[in-house]
Amino acid sequence: MGNTVSCCMSPGGSPKLPRQSDSVEDYQANTDLSEDTGPYLQHISDREVPDDLAHESNPSDHARASTIFLSKSQTDVRDKRKSNHINHFSPGVLSKKYSSCSTIFIDDSTVSQPNLKSTIKCVTFAIYYHIKNRDSDRSLDIFDEKIHPLSRDHVPEDYSRTDPEHKLIYRFVRTLFSAAQLTAECAIVTLVYLERLLTYAELDICPCNWKRMVLGAILLASKVWDDQAVWNVDYCQILKDITVEDMNEMERHFLELLQFNINVPASVYAKYYFDLRSLADDNNLSFPLEPLSNQRAQKLEAISRLCEDKYKDLSKASMRRSLSADNLLNSRRSHAVLS
C-alpha cells in the first residue's frame, strides 16, 4: 500500500474510473432510440420466466413449493377451529392412542409402503377440497361428464352446480382401486398428476369434470407406477358404459396437457405423502395404530440395519472416489536434500 508505484498512491495510476464513465456514456448514446425505430420492445429472453423459478411455483415439480390441496383445506380447518372455540365445542372422548412407557403405538403406513385405505381417504379429501374451494369453473370438453358420460344414467341438469360429497368421491376412487388392484403409491401419484394438470393447463376440478379428471389421472398413474399396468380395456370392464376409444382419447389429451411430463421425483412424492398425513390430522383421520410387538420391532430393526449398511456402502464408495484428495493433507512428505 505504501509503494508510490501502486494504483492507490500514484495520481495517474488508476485510469479505470474515467474509462468507465466514458463507456456508460457510449452505452447510453448507443441505446438511445432514434425517431424511426419506434417504441422500445423488450427482448423475449428478458420477459420469459426461468425454468428454475417456474418450477418453484409448481408443487408437482418442485419439492419446496407447497401443495395446492393443503392450502385450499386450510380455510375450512381455520373456520372449524374458530367455530369450535366460539361454541366451546368439546371433542369428547379422545379416540387417538398415545404411546406410554410400557406400550408404543405405531401405524403401518410409511412413505415407501403407505396404508391403502387411509391414503385413498386422504387423496379423496384433497380432491374434495379442490372442488369445494375452487377459484373458478375452468374446464375442457374432454373432461365434461355431460358430453362424455361415464354411464348411461341420466345426468341431472344441475350436475355442474352441485358439489359432490366426500363419500361420493371416496366411493368412486375406492371402486376403481379395488377392482384394478392398485396400490397406495398409485393414489399419491394420482394426486400429483391432478395438481400438475391444474397448473399446466390452468383448469379447475369442478362438479362437471371431477370424475373424468380423476379417472384420467388414475389411468396414467397406474401405467407409470405399477409394473403390471391395467389396460384401458380393463377399465371398460369396471365402468361398463365407457368405450375404449373414449379412454384412449382422454389419455391422449391428458398427456398433452401434462406436456408429457410424467416424472415424479422422490422428493415431490415424499412431500405429498407427508402433506396428506397433515391433511388427515386436520380432518381427524387417524391411521390405524397397533402396539409394537417383539416381532415387528425385530422387523423394523432389520430394515434399519439394511438401510444403515446401504448408506455405509455409499459413503465408502464416495470416500474411495475422493481418496486422492483426502491424502493431500495426510500424505507423507519426503525429507529435503540440501546440497
Side-chain angles (χ1 to χ4, degrees):
M1 294 294 291
N3 194 350
T4 57
V5 188
S6 65
C7 63
C8 299
M9 298 298 295
S10 177
S14 180
K16 295 181 180 180
L17 185 58
R19 284 206 299 265
Q20 185 177 3
S21 60
D22 294 338
S23 61
V24 172
E25 293 176 357
D26 295 338
Y27 174 76
Q28 293 176 350
N30 293 331
T31 54
D32 288 339
L33 299 177
S34 61
E35 296 179 357
D36 299 335
T37 56
Y40 171 69
L41 296 178
Q42 190 181 16
H43 194 268
I44 188 172
S45 62
D46 299 331
R47 298 196 303 267
E48 289 180 344
V49 180
D51 293 338
D52 296 338
L53 297 179
H55 288 171
E56 286 183 1
S57 60
N58 189 356
S60 62
D61 290 325
H62 205 279
R64 289 182 294 181
S66 59
T67 53
I68 304 176
F69 72 88
L70 194 61
S71 60
K72 287 183 176 294
S73 66
Q74 293 305 309
T75 303
D76 289 27
V77 171
R78 287 192 297 266
D79 293 343
K80 187 184 299 183
R81 291 176 179 174
K82 183 178 180 180
S83 176
N84 294 339
H85 177 73
I86 294 175
N87 300 327
H88 302 285
F89 177 77
S90 176
V93 180
L94 297 178
S95 59
K96 188 175 181 180
K97 300 177 181 178
Y98 293 91
S99 301
S100 62
C101 298
S102 59
T103 306
I104 299 177
F105 290 98
I106 58 174
D107 59 67
D108 59 347
S109 180
T110 60
V111 67
S112 58
Q113 293 181 348
N115 181 270
L116 177 60
K117 184 178 180 180
S118 302
T119 303
I120 293 179
K121 280 187 177 181
C122 295
V123 170
T124 52
F125 255 113
I127 299 172
Y128 168 76
Y129 283 118
H130 266 291
I131 301 174
K132 183 179 179 182
N133 300 325
R134 63 187 182 275
D135 299 327
S136 59
D137 293 325
R138 299 171 296 181
S139 182
L140 294 175
D141 292 343
I142 190 61
F143 299 121
D144 197 326
E145 195 175 352
K146 187 75 172 181
I147 303 175
H148 302 277
L150 296 179
S151 64
R152 297 180 182 177
D153 298 337
H154 176 70
V155 180
E157 296 297 333
D158 60 344
Y159 78 106
S160 60
R161 298 187 298 270
T162 305
D163 294 346
E165 297 292 336
H166 173 256
K167 293 181 179 179
L168 180 61
I169 303 174
Y170 173 73
R171 193 180 303 118
F172 177 77
V173 176
R174 184 191 62 184
T175 301
L176 293 176
F177 269 73
S178 59
Q181 298 181 358
L182 302 178
T183 60
E185 297 90 342
C186 184
I188 299 177
V189 178
T190 297
L191 184 58
V192 175
Y193 287 159
L194 276 176
E195 296 207 340
R196 185 173 295 175
L197 175 69
L198 302 182
T199 307
Y200 282 19
E202 297 182 352
L203 300 176
D204 297 287
I205 305 181
C206 313
C208 65
N209 62 12
W210 71 269
K211 283 187 177 180
R212 292 182 62 86
M213 274 191 178
V214 172
L215 177 60
I218 293 176
L219 172 66
L220 189 58
S222 62
K223 290 184 177 182
V224 173
W225 186 265
D226 292 339
D227 295 333
Q228 296 179 351
V230 182
W231 291 16
N232 293 1
V233 67
D234 297 329
Y235 287 98
C236 297
Q237 300 296 327
I238 303 173
L239 305 171
K240 302 293 184 180
D241 300 327
I242 195 171
T243 61
V244 182
E245 292 77 14
D246 188 13
M247 295 287 293
N248 294 340
E249 184 182 4
M250 182 175 60
E251 182 184 8
R252 179 173 59 83
H253 278 81
F254 206 105
L255 281 171
E256 290 177 353
L257 293 173
L258 291 185
Q259 303 175 14
F260 297 92
N261 181 15
I262 58 176
N263 180 42
V264 179
S267 56
V268 172
Y269 173 87
K271 176 190 65 176
Y272 272 81
Y273 169 78
F274 288 110
D275 282 358
L276 285 173
R277 292 195 68 117
S278 301
L279 183 66
D281 293 336
D282 294 337
N283 291 272
N284 297 325
L285 291 178
S286 59
F287 285 75
L289 298 175
E290 296 180 359
L292 181 62
S293 60
N294 294 333
Q295 182 180 1
R296 194 171 183 186
Q298 293 175 0
K299 183 179 178 180
L300 290 175
E301 186 178 1
I303 295 176
S304 301
R305 288 180 179 176
L306 182 63
C307 295
E308 185 179 357
D309 294 340
K310 179 181 179 180
Y311 288 123
K312 281 184 178 180
D313 295 339
L314 292 176
S315 62
K316 288 181 180 179
S318 61
M319 288 177 62
R320 192 177 300 113
R321 288 195 298 267
S322 60
L323 190 61
S324 59
D326 293 339
N327 285 342
L328 290 177
L329 298 178
N330 300 326
S331 60
R332 295 181 179 179
R333 299 182 179 181
S334 58
H335 298 283
V337 178
L338 299 178
S339 59

